[in-house]
Amino acid sequence: MTDTSADLVILGGGSGGYACALRAAELGLSVVLVEKDKLGGTCLHRGCIPTKALLHAAEVADSARDGDQFGVKSSLEGIDIAGVNSYKDGVVNRLFKGLQGLVKSRGITYVNAAGTLTSPTTVEAEGVTYTGRHVVLATGSYARSLPGLDIGGRVVTSDQALNLDFVPERVVVLGGGVIGVEFASVWRSFGAEVTVVEALPRLVPNEDEYLSKQLERAFRRRGITFKTGVRFTGVTQDDTSVSVNLESGEQLDADLLLVAVGRGPNSAGHGFEEVGVATDRGFVVTDERLRTSVPGVFAVGDLVPGLQLAHRGFQQGIFVAEEIAGLNPSTIDEAGIPRVTYCEPEVASVGLTETAAKEKYGEVQTLVYDLGGNGKSQILKTSGAVKLVKAGAKGQDGPVVGVHMIGARVGELIGEAQLIYNWEAFPGEVAELVHAHPTQNEALGEAHLALAGKPLHAHG
Protein backbone atom coordinates (compact mmCIF):
# COMPACT_ATOMS: atom_id res chain seq x y z
CA MET A 1 0.00 0.00 0.00
CA THR A 2 1.48 3.37 -1.01
CA ASP A 3 1.54 6.16 1.54
CA THR A 4 -1.41 8.45 0.84
CA SER A 5 -0.28 11.44 2.92
CA ALA A 6 2.80 13.59 2.32
CA ASP A 7 4.28 17.05 2.76
CA LEU A 8 3.58 17.73 -0.92
CA VAL A 9 1.11 16.31 -3.39
CA ILE A 10 2.06 17.42 -6.91
CA LEU A 11 -0.47 17.20 -9.73
CA GLY A 12 1.47 16.87 -12.99
CA GLY A 13 4.86 15.32 -13.78
CA GLY A 14 6.22 17.66 -16.45
CA SER A 15 9.19 20.02 -16.10
CA GLY A 16 7.60 21.99 -13.26
CA GLY A 17 6.11 19.03 -11.37
CA TYR A 18 9.08 16.67 -11.49
CA ALA A 19 11.60 19.44 -10.65
CA CYS A 20 9.48 20.34 -7.63
CA ALA A 21 9.29 16.66 -6.60
CA LEU A 22 13.05 16.06 -6.93
CA ARG A 23 14.04 19.23 -5.06
CA ALA A 24 11.47 18.64 -2.30
CA ALA A 25 12.68 15.06 -1.80
CA GLU A 26 16.27 16.34 -1.68
CA LEU A 27 15.21 18.71 1.12
CA GLY A 28 13.77 15.81 3.13
CA LEU A 29 10.10 16.39 2.34
CA SER A 30 7.78 13.48 1.53
CA VAL A 31 6.27 13.72 -1.97
CA VAL A 32 3.40 12.19 -3.93
CA LEU A 33 3.67 12.90 -7.67
CA VAL A 34 0.53 12.28 -9.76
CA GLU A 35 0.83 12.15 -13.57
CA LYS A 36 -1.77 10.69 -15.95
CA ASP A 37 0.53 10.39 -18.96
CA LYS A 38 4.31 9.95 -19.03
CA LEU A 39 6.80 11.42 -16.57
CA GLY A 40 8.55 14.34 -18.26
CA GLY A 41 5.38 15.83 -19.72
CA THR A 42 5.08 17.82 -22.94
CA CYS A 43 8.70 19.00 -22.95
CA LEU A 44 10.21 15.52 -23.02
CA HIS A 45 7.59 13.67 -25.08
CA ARG A 46 5.87 16.21 -27.36
CA GLY A 47 7.89 19.43 -27.14
CA CYS A 48 11.43 20.62 -26.54
CA ILE A 49 13.34 17.34 -26.83
CA PRO A 50 11.72 15.72 -29.88
CA THR A 51 11.49 19.02 -31.79
CA LYS A 52 15.18 19.78 -31.18
CA ALA A 53 16.07 16.26 -32.36
CA LEU A 54 14.17 17.01 -35.61
CA LEU A 55 15.98 20.35 -35.89
CA HIS A 56 19.34 18.61 -35.51
CA ALA A 57 18.41 16.12 -38.22
CA ALA A 58 17.47 19.15 -40.36
CA GLU A 59 20.90 20.69 -39.70
CA VAL A 60 22.57 17.45 -40.80
CA ALA A 61 20.46 17.49 -43.99
CA ASP A 62 21.56 21.06 -44.72
CA SER A 63 25.21 20.15 -44.08
CA ALA A 64 24.99 17.25 -46.54
CA ARG A 65 23.31 19.44 -49.14
CA ASP A 66 25.77 22.32 -48.71
CA GLY A 67 29.04 20.36 -48.47
CA ASP A 68 30.44 21.99 -51.62
CA GLN A 69 30.71 25.32 -49.78
CA PHE A 70 33.35 23.72 -47.59
CA GLY A 71 35.11 21.70 -50.28
CA VAL A 72 33.39 18.51 -49.15
CA LYS A 73 31.79 16.36 -51.84
CA SER A 74 28.47 15.42 -50.29
CA SER A 75 24.88 15.38 -51.43
CA LEU A 76 21.50 14.77 -49.86
CA GLU A 77 19.99 11.55 -51.18
CA GLY A 78 16.78 12.08 -49.26
CA ILE A 79 15.13 11.98 -45.85
CA ASP A 80 14.41 8.59 -44.29
CA ILE A 81 11.62 9.77 -42.03
CA ALA A 82 11.40 6.40 -40.26
CA GLY A 83 15.11 6.74 -39.47
CA VAL A 84 14.65 10.32 -38.28
CA ASN A 85 11.78 9.25 -36.00
CA SER A 86 13.77 6.32 -34.66
CA TYR A 87 16.68 8.67 -33.77
CA LYS A 88 14.28 11.18 -32.16
CA ASP A 89 12.41 8.51 -30.17
CA GLY A 90 15.71 7.00 -29.01
CA VAL A 91 16.77 10.32 -27.49
CA VAL A 92 13.39 10.72 -25.76
CA ASN A 93 13.39 7.16 -24.40
CA ARG A 94 16.89 7.43 -22.92
CA LEU A 95 15.98 10.64 -21.11
CA PHE A 96 12.63 9.16 -20.00
CA LYS A 97 14.33 6.11 -18.46
CA GLY A 98 16.84 8.34 -16.68
CA LEU A 99 14.07 10.51 -15.25
CA GLN A 100 12.07 7.48 -14.07
CA GLY A 101 15.18 6.20 -12.29
CA LEU A 102 15.76 9.55 -10.60
CA VAL A 103 12.21 9.76 -9.25
CA LYS A 104 12.38 6.18 -7.99
CA SER A 105 15.77 6.68 -6.31
CA ARG A 106 14.52 9.74 -4.37
CA GLY A 107 11.75 7.79 -2.65
CA ILE A 108 8.96 9.76 -4.32
CA THR A 109 5.55 8.07 -4.40
CA TYR A 110 4.72 8.09 -8.12
CA VAL A 111 1.07 7.68 -9.12
CA ASN A 112 0.55 7.11 -12.86
CA ALA A 113 -3.11 8.16 -13.07
CA ALA A 114 -5.33 11.17 -13.75
CA GLY A 115 -5.68 13.32 -10.64
CA THR A 116 -8.37 15.75 -9.47
CA LEU A 117 -8.05 18.44 -6.81
CA THR A 118 -10.80 17.66 -4.29
CA SER A 119 -9.93 20.11 -1.48
CA PRO A 120 -7.08 22.53 -0.61
CA THR A 121 -5.14 19.54 0.76
CA THR A 122 -6.31 16.53 -1.25
CA VAL A 123 -5.92 15.08 -4.72
CA GLU A 124 -7.90 12.04 -5.83
CA ALA A 125 -6.50 9.58 -8.37
CA GLU A 126 -8.16 6.28 -9.33
CA GLY A 127 -10.34 6.28 -6.23
CA VAL A 128 -7.46 6.94 -3.81
CA THR A 129 -7.28 10.25 -1.93
CA TYR A 130 -3.78 11.66 -1.43
CA THR A 131 -3.44 14.27 1.31
CA GLY A 132 -0.69 16.88 1.38
CA ARG A 133 0.28 19.69 3.72
CA HIS A 134 0.66 21.54 0.42
CA VAL A 135 -0.60 20.88 -3.10
CA VAL A 136 1.30 21.97 -6.20
CA LEU A 137 -0.62 22.33 -9.48
CA ALA A 138 1.60 21.55 -12.47
CA THR A 139 -0.81 20.30 -15.14
CA GLY A 140 0.89 22.15 -18.00
CA SER A 141 -0.58 23.16 -21.35
CA TYR A 142 -2.03 21.81 -24.59
CA ALA A 143 -1.67 22.80 -28.25
CA ARG A 144 -4.41 25.35 -28.89
CA SER A 145 -6.46 25.82 -32.02
CA LEU A 146 -8.68 28.66 -33.22
CA PRO A 147 -12.49 28.78 -32.87
CA GLY A 148 -14.05 26.67 -35.63
CA LEU A 149 -10.70 25.16 -36.65
CA ASP A 150 -10.96 21.43 -35.93
CA ILE A 151 -7.80 19.36 -35.63
CA GLY A 152 -7.91 16.14 -37.65
CA GLY A 153 -6.94 14.64 -40.99
CA ARG A 154 -4.57 17.04 -42.72
CA VAL A 155 -4.96 19.72 -40.05
CA VAL A 156 -2.47 18.98 -37.27
CA THR A 157 -0.85 20.51 -34.19
CA SER A 158 2.75 20.03 -33.08
CA ASP A 159 1.61 16.82 -31.30
CA GLN A 160 0.81 15.07 -34.59
CA ALA A 161 3.54 16.86 -36.58
CA LEU A 162 6.20 15.24 -34.41
CA ASN A 163 5.13 11.76 -35.46
CA LEU A 164 4.48 12.13 -39.18
CA ASP A 165 5.58 9.16 -41.27
CA PHE A 166 6.15 11.34 -44.35
CA VAL A 167 7.71 14.67 -45.29
CA PRO A 168 5.01 16.95 -46.71
CA GLU A 169 5.82 18.44 -50.12
CA ARG A 170 3.84 21.62 -49.40
CA VAL A 171 2.90 22.78 -45.93
CA VAL A 172 1.17 25.82 -44.46
CA VAL A 173 2.10 26.82 -40.92
CA LEU A 174 -0.51 28.88 -39.09
CA GLY A 175 1.40 30.95 -36.54
CA GLY A 176 4.82 32.58 -36.82
CA GLY A 177 5.84 32.24 -33.17
CA VAL A 178 8.44 29.85 -31.76
CA ILE A 179 6.71 26.54 -32.62
CA GLY A 180 5.65 27.72 -36.08
CA VAL A 181 9.07 28.93 -37.23
CA GLU A 182 10.84 25.86 -35.80
CA PHE A 183 8.65 23.44 -37.78
CA ALA A 184 8.88 25.68 -40.87
CA SER A 185 12.65 25.46 -40.56
CA VAL A 186 12.68 21.65 -40.22
CA TRP A 187 10.37 21.03 -43.15
CA ARG A 188 12.27 23.44 -45.40
CA SER A 189 15.53 21.62 -44.60
CA PHE A 190 13.75 18.35 -45.42
CA GLY A 191 12.82 19.77 -48.84
CA ALA A 192 9.25 21.00 -48.38
CA GLU A 193 7.73 24.19 -49.75
CA VAL A 194 6.67 26.12 -46.64
CA THR A 195 4.36 29.10 -46.13
CA VAL A 196 4.00 30.67 -42.67
CA VAL A 197 0.86 32.73 -41.94
CA GLU A 198 1.04 35.12 -38.95
CA ALA A 199 -1.78 37.50 -37.97
CA LEU A 200 0.61 39.93 -36.24
CA PRO A 201 2.84 42.22 -38.32
CA ARG A 202 6.04 40.14 -37.98
CA LEU A 203 7.49 36.70 -37.34
CA VAL A 204 8.52 35.86 -33.72
CA PRO A 205 6.41 38.87 -32.62
CA ASN A 206 7.45 38.62 -28.95
CA GLU A 207 11.11 39.22 -29.82
CA ASP A 208 12.89 42.53 -30.42
CA GLU A 209 11.81 43.94 -33.78
CA TYR A 210 15.40 43.82 -35.06
CA LEU A 211 15.50 40.02 -34.62
CA SER A 212 12.18 39.64 -36.47
CA LYS A 213 13.56 41.59 -39.46
CA GLN A 214 16.75 39.53 -39.49
CA LEU A 215 14.85 36.24 -39.27
CA GLU A 216 12.50 37.29 -42.07
CA ARG A 217 15.50 38.13 -44.25
CA ALA A 218 17.10 34.75 -43.48
CA PHE A 219 13.83 32.89 -44.21
CA ARG A 220 13.54 34.67 -47.56
CA ARG A 221 17.06 33.51 -48.43
CA ARG A 222 16.09 29.95 -47.46
CA GLY A 223 13.01 30.08 -49.69
CA ILE A 224 10.52 29.99 -46.81
CA THR A 225 7.44 32.07 -47.73
CA PHE A 226 5.66 34.00 -45.00
CA LYS A 227 2.61 36.22 -44.90
CA THR A 228 2.39 38.56 -41.91
CA GLY A 229 -0.44 40.84 -40.79
CA VAL A 230 -3.02 38.58 -42.38
CA ARG A 231 -5.69 36.46 -40.71
CA PHE A 232 -6.85 32.95 -41.42
CA THR A 233 -10.55 32.64 -42.32
CA GLY A 234 -11.14 28.96 -42.98
CA VAL A 235 -9.91 25.60 -44.17
CA THR A 236 -11.25 22.76 -46.29
CA GLN A 237 -9.63 19.39 -46.79
CA ASP A 238 -9.99 16.10 -48.62
CA ASP A 239 -8.00 12.85 -48.53
CA THR A 240 -4.98 14.28 -50.32
CA SER A 241 -4.80 18.02 -49.68
CA VAL A 242 -5.87 21.00 -47.61
CA SER A 243 -6.93 24.50 -48.74
CA VAL A 244 -6.35 27.43 -46.40
CA ASN A 245 -8.28 30.67 -46.91
CA LEU A 246 -6.98 34.05 -45.76
CA GLU A 247 -8.91 37.28 -45.17
CA SER A 248 -6.95 38.80 -48.08
CA GLY A 249 -8.97 36.48 -50.32
CA GLU A 250 -5.94 34.33 -51.04
CA GLN A 251 -6.16 30.53 -50.99
CA LEU A 252 -3.15 28.39 -50.12
CA ASP A 253 -3.14 24.71 -51.17
CA ALA A 254 -0.92 22.24 -49.33
CA ASP A 255 -0.55 18.66 -48.12
CA LEU A 256 -0.75 19.72 -44.48
CA LEU A 257 -1.80 22.62 -42.26
CA LEU A 258 0.14 22.93 -38.99
CA VAL A 259 -1.78 24.91 -36.38
CA ALA A 260 0.83 26.61 -34.19
CA VAL A 261 -1.17 29.40 -32.55
CA GLY A 262 0.17 28.89 -29.03
CA ARG A 263 -0.60 26.73 -26.04
CA GLY A 264 -3.52 26.90 -23.64
CA PRO A 265 -3.49 26.00 -19.92
CA ASN A 266 -4.55 22.48 -18.88
CA SER A 267 -6.78 23.73 -16.06
CA ALA A 268 -10.22 22.37 -16.98
CA GLY A 269 -11.52 19.13 -15.49
CA HIS A 270 -9.05 18.96 -12.62
CA GLY A 271 -11.33 20.40 -9.93
CA PHE A 272 -9.49 23.73 -9.62
CA GLU A 273 -12.55 25.96 -9.84
CA GLU A 274 -14.61 23.75 -7.54
CA VAL A 275 -11.98 24.15 -4.81
CA GLY A 276 -11.89 27.92 -5.40
CA VAL A 277 -8.59 28.33 -7.28
CA ALA A 278 -8.82 31.67 -9.12
CA THR A 279 -8.20 31.53 -12.86
CA ASP A 280 -7.98 34.09 -15.65
CA ARG A 281 -8.89 32.81 -19.14
CA GLY A 282 -7.99 29.34 -17.87
CA PHE A 283 -4.60 30.27 -16.44
CA VAL A 284 -4.14 29.85 -12.69
CA VAL A 285 -3.48 33.22 -11.05
CA THR A 286 -0.58 33.32 -8.57
CA ASP A 287 1.39 35.95 -6.68
CA GLU A 288 5.15 36.38 -7.19
CA ARG A 289 5.74 33.48 -4.76
CA LEU A 290 3.55 31.22 -6.92
CA ARG A 291 0.79 30.95 -4.31
CA THR A 292 -2.72 30.57 -5.70
CA SER A 293 -5.86 32.13 -4.20
CA VAL A 294 -6.26 29.01 -2.02
CA PRO A 295 -3.89 28.91 0.99
CA GLY A 296 -1.42 26.02 0.80
CA VAL A 297 -1.94 25.50 -2.94
CA PHE A 298 0.82 26.56 -5.37
CA ALA A 299 0.97 26.51 -9.18
CA VAL A 300 3.95 26.30 -11.55
CA GLY A 301 4.80 26.16 -15.27
CA ASP A 302 2.61 26.70 -18.33
CA LEU A 303 -0.47 26.79 -16.09
CA VAL A 304 0.70 30.17 -14.71
CA PRO A 305 0.47 33.25 -16.99
CA GLY A 306 3.83 34.18 -18.53
CA LEU A 307 6.50 32.59 -20.69
CA GLN A 308 5.60 29.02 -21.61
CA LEU A 309 9.09 27.56 -21.35
CA ALA A 310 10.20 24.26 -19.84
CA HIS A 311 13.11 25.87 -18.00
CA ARG A 312 10.76 28.43 -16.46
CA GLY A 313 8.52 25.63 -15.12
CA PHE A 314 11.61 23.75 -13.93
CA GLN A 315 12.90 26.79 -12.00
CA GLN A 316 9.46 27.52 -10.57
CA GLY A 317 9.20 23.90 -9.38
CA ILE A 318 12.51 24.25 -7.52
CA PHE A 319 11.37 27.61 -6.11
CA VAL A 320 8.13 26.16 -4.72
CA ALA A 321 9.92 23.18 -3.13
CA GLU A 322 12.33 25.57 -1.40
CA GLU A 323 9.49 27.90 -0.39
CA ILE A 324 7.57 25.03 1.24
CA ALA A 325 10.77 23.87 2.96
CA GLY A 326 11.13 27.35 4.49
CA LEU A 327 14.28 28.42 2.59
CA ASN A 328 12.70 31.72 1.46
CA PRO A 329 14.17 31.63 -2.09
CA SER A 330 14.52 34.77 -4.23
CA THR A 331 11.60 35.40 -6.57
CA ILE A 332 12.11 34.71 -10.29
CA ASP A 333 12.43 37.69 -12.63
CA GLU A 334 10.49 36.72 -15.78
CA ALA A 335 12.59 39.04 -17.95
CA GLY A 336 15.72 37.23 -16.72
CA ILE A 337 14.57 33.89 -18.17
CA PRO A 338 16.48 33.11 -21.38
CA ARG A 339 14.45 32.51 -24.56
CA VAL A 340 15.68 30.48 -27.54
CA THR A 341 14.01 29.69 -30.86
CA TYR A 342 15.86 26.80 -32.51
CA CYS A 343 15.08 27.49 -36.17
CA GLU A 344 17.90 28.10 -38.66
CA PRO A 345 19.22 30.69 -37.93
CA GLU A 346 18.66 30.48 -34.17
CA VAL A 347 17.15 33.36 -32.22
CA ALA A 348 18.12 33.88 -28.56
CA SER A 349 17.33 36.67 -26.14
CA VAL A 350 17.17 37.65 -22.49
CA GLY A 351 15.96 40.79 -20.76
CA LEU A 352 13.98 43.61 -22.35
CA THR A 353 13.38 44.47 -26.00
CA GLU A 354 14.39 47.99 -27.05
CA THR A 355 10.71 49.05 -26.97
CA ALA A 356 10.14 47.63 -23.45
CA ALA A 357 13.41 49.15 -22.19
CA LYS A 358 12.39 52.61 -23.46
CA GLU A 359 9.04 52.26 -21.67
CA LYS A 360 10.82 51.34 -18.43
CA TYR A 361 13.92 53.55 -18.50
CA GLY A 362 13.06 56.41 -20.84
CA GLU A 363 16.42 56.76 -22.52
CA VAL A 364 18.37 53.72 -23.69
CA GLN A 365 21.44 53.09 -25.80
CA THR A 366 21.59 50.21 -28.29
CA LEU A 367 24.42 48.60 -30.19
CA VAL A 368 24.38 46.03 -32.99
CA TYR A 369 27.47 43.88 -33.57
CA ASP A 370 27.39 42.02 -36.89
CA LEU A 371 28.58 38.39 -36.86
CA GLY A 372 30.39 39.23 -40.11
CA GLY A 373 33.22 40.41 -37.86
CA ASN A 374 33.36 37.15 -35.89
CA GLY A 375 35.84 34.50 -37.02
CA LYS A 376 33.91 31.43 -35.88
CA SER A 377 30.71 32.71 -37.50
CA GLN A 378 32.61 33.06 -40.77
CA ILE A 379 33.91 29.49 -40.39
CA LEU A 380 30.31 28.30 -39.87
CA LYS A 381 29.19 30.51 -42.79
CA THR A 382 26.44 32.04 -40.70
CA SER A 383 25.25 35.63 -40.76
CA GLY A 384 23.51 37.37 -37.91
CA ALA A 385 24.13 39.81 -35.11
CA VAL A 386 24.19 40.58 -31.41
CA LYS A 387 22.06 43.54 -30.30
CA LEU A 388 22.56 45.04 -26.85
CA VAL A 389 20.19 47.37 -25.01
CA LYS A 390 21.62 49.46 -22.15
CA ALA A 391 19.63 51.56 -19.68
CA GLY A 392 20.48 55.27 -19.86
CA ALA A 393 21.61 57.58 -22.64
CA LYS A 394 24.95 57.39 -24.48
CA GLY A 395 27.80 58.43 -22.19
CA GLN A 396 25.83 57.49 -19.04
CA ASP A 397 26.66 54.43 -16.99
CA GLY A 398 23.90 51.87 -16.88
CA PRO A 399 23.36 48.11 -16.87
CA VAL A 400 22.76 46.00 -19.98
CA VAL A 401 19.02 45.29 -19.82
CA GLY A 402 18.57 43.32 -23.05
CA VAL A 403 20.67 40.92 -25.15
CA HIS A 404 19.20 39.85 -28.50
CA MET A 405 21.01 37.48 -30.86
CA ILE A 406 20.45 35.79 -34.20
CA GLY A 407 22.68 33.35 -36.09
CA ALA A 408 23.57 29.65 -36.20
CA ARG A 409 24.08 28.23 -32.68
CA VAL A 410 23.56 31.53 -30.81
CA GLY A 411 21.33 29.63 -28.39
CA GLU A 412 24.60 28.38 -26.88
CA LEU A 413 25.58 31.99 -26.06
CA ILE A 414 22.51 32.68 -23.93
CA GLY A 415 24.22 31.38 -20.76
CA GLU A 416 26.62 34.31 -20.54
CA ALA A 417 23.94 36.69 -21.80
CA GLN A 418 21.59 35.77 -18.93
CA LEU A 419 24.38 36.31 -16.39
CA ILE A 420 25.00 39.77 -17.87
CA TYR A 421 21.31 40.66 -17.52
CA ASN A 422 20.62 39.01 -14.17
CA TRP A 423 23.74 40.41 -12.50
CA GLU A 424 22.99 43.87 -13.90
CA ALA A 425 26.42 44.08 -15.50
CA PHE A 426 27.67 47.32 -17.03
CA PRO A 427 29.18 47.14 -20.56
CA GLY A 428 32.63 48.01 -19.20
CA GLU A 429 32.53 45.11 -16.75
CA VAL A 430 31.75 42.59 -19.50
CA ALA A 431 34.41 44.20 -21.74
CA GLU A 432 37.04 43.25 -19.14
CA LEU A 433 36.23 39.54 -19.44
CA VAL A 434 38.43 37.50 -21.78
CA HIS A 435 36.48 35.64 -24.47
CA ALA A 436 38.15 32.63 -26.07
CA HIS A 437 39.22 32.89 -29.72
CA PRO A 438 37.88 31.80 -32.15
CA THR A 439 34.40 31.36 -30.71
CA GLN A 440 31.05 32.95 -31.41
CA ASN A 441 31.15 33.86 -27.73
CA GLU A 442 33.67 36.56 -28.72
CA ALA A 443 30.84 38.39 -30.48
CA LEU A 444 29.31 39.09 -27.04
CA GLY A 445 32.67 40.38 -25.82
CA GLU A 446 33.19 42.59 -28.89
CA ALA A 447 29.65 43.98 -28.63
CA HIS A 448 30.25 45.00 -25.02
CA LEU A 449 33.65 46.50 -25.88
CA ALA A 450 31.90 48.65 -28.48
CA LEU A 451 29.09 49.61 -26.09
CA ALA A 452 31.70 50.51 -23.46
CA GLY A 453 33.14 53.01 -25.96
CA LYS A 454 36.21 51.03 -27.04
CA PRO A 455 35.28 49.16 -30.22
CA LEU A 456 38.14 47.13 -31.66
CA HIS A 457 36.51 45.59 -34.71
CA ALA A 458 33.04 47.12 -34.57
CA HIS A 459 32.12 50.32 -36.34
CA GLY A 460 30.83 52.00 -33.21
Side-chain angles (χ1 to χ4, degrees), residues 4-268:
T4 58
S5 63
D7 294 315
L8 269 80
V9 177
I10 302 169
L11 187 52
S15 304
Y18 84 71
C20 187
L22 292 172
R23 183 66 179 128
E26 193 174 58
L27 292 169
L29 300 173
S30 54
V31 181
V32 173
L33 180 60
V34 181
E35 167 58 57
K36 69 177 177 184
D37 196 359
K38 285 181 172 177
L39 194 60
T42 296
C43 166
L44 178 53
H45 300 284
R46 296 180 302 281
C48 327
I49 299 299
T51 54
K52 294 345 158 235
L54 285 184
L55 282 150
H56 182 63
E59 186 186 342
V60 173
D62 289 334
S63 297
R65 191 186 283 117
D66 301 334
D68 276 358
Q69 289 186 38
F70 306 96
V72 176
K73 296 290 180 196
S74 64
S75 61
L76 181 65
E77 286 182 27
I79 303 297
D80 168 16
I81 199 69
V84 170
N85 285 334
S86 171
Y87 149 69
K88 164 181 65 76
D89 296 342
V91 172
V92 170
N93 288 332
R94 280 192 297 279
L95 290 170
F96 179 44
K97 283 200 177 99
L99 186 54
Q100 285 175 307
L102 258 181
V103 165
K104 200 171 183 180
S105 71
R106 294 278 170 90
I108 293 161
T109 300
Y110 180 59
V111 181
N112 194 187
T116 305
L117 186 69
T118 48
S119 84
T121 56
T122 54
V123 169
E124 189 181 303
E126 288 189 334
V128 179
T129 297
Y130 297 90
T131 307
R133 277 197 306 116
H134 296 278
V135 173
V136 181
L137 309 178
T139 48
S141 61
Y142 64 93
R144 273 182 40 225
S145 186
L146 295 175
L149 178 52
D150 295 329
I151 305 302
R154 294 189 169 270
V155 178
V156 300
T157 68
S158 55
D159 289 355
Q160 294 84 40
L162 277 168
N163 296 308
L164 289 181
D165 56 4
F166 67 99
V167 176
E169 282 181 32
R170 298 170 306 161
V171 61
V172 175
V173 176
L174 187 57
V178 175
I179 296 168
V181 298
E182 286 185 350
F183 273 100
S185 191
V186 167
W187 282 326
R188 184 64 187 145
S189 296
F190 285 176
E193 285 178 28
V194 182
T195 304
V196 181
V197 176
E198 169 55 59
L200 291 171
R202 54 195 175 91
L203 295 181
V204 288
N206 293 330
E207 295 291 347
D208 190 271
E209 199 165 335
Y210 177 80
L211 293 187
S212 293
K213 284 187 177 143
Q214 294 296 311
L215 183 63
E216 287 172 3
R217 186 181 296 170
F219 269 21
R220 272 189 213 103
R221 278 200 301 267
R222 291 191 61 195
I224 296 172
T225 305
F226 53 89
K227 298 176 185 300
T228 52
V230 62
R231 290 184 180 278
F232 156 93
T233 54
V235 62
T236 54
Q237 62 170 311
D238 57 29
D239 290 345
T240 57
S241 66
V242 61
S243 294
V244 181
N245 299 307
L246 307 180
E247 66 180 357
S248 58
E250 196 174 356
Q251 182 177 307
L252 305 172
D253 296 319
D255 304 332
L256 207 63
L257 170 63
L258 171 68
V259 181
V261 293
R263 297 185 66 82
N266 263 333
S267 57

Side-chain angles (χ1 to χ4, degrees), residues 16 135-139 272 277-278 283-287 289-294 296-305 312-313 316-317 319-320:
V135 173
V136 181
L137 309 178
T139 48
F272 298 173
V277 175
F283 289 98
V284 172
V285 181
T286 70
D287 64 10
R289 304 200 74 79
L290 301 172
R291 294 176 291 213
T292 68
S293 59
V294 176
V297 178
F298 293 81
V300 299
D302 286 3
L303 200 54
V304 179
R312 170 182 178 256
Q316 287 180 337
F319 174 92
V320 165

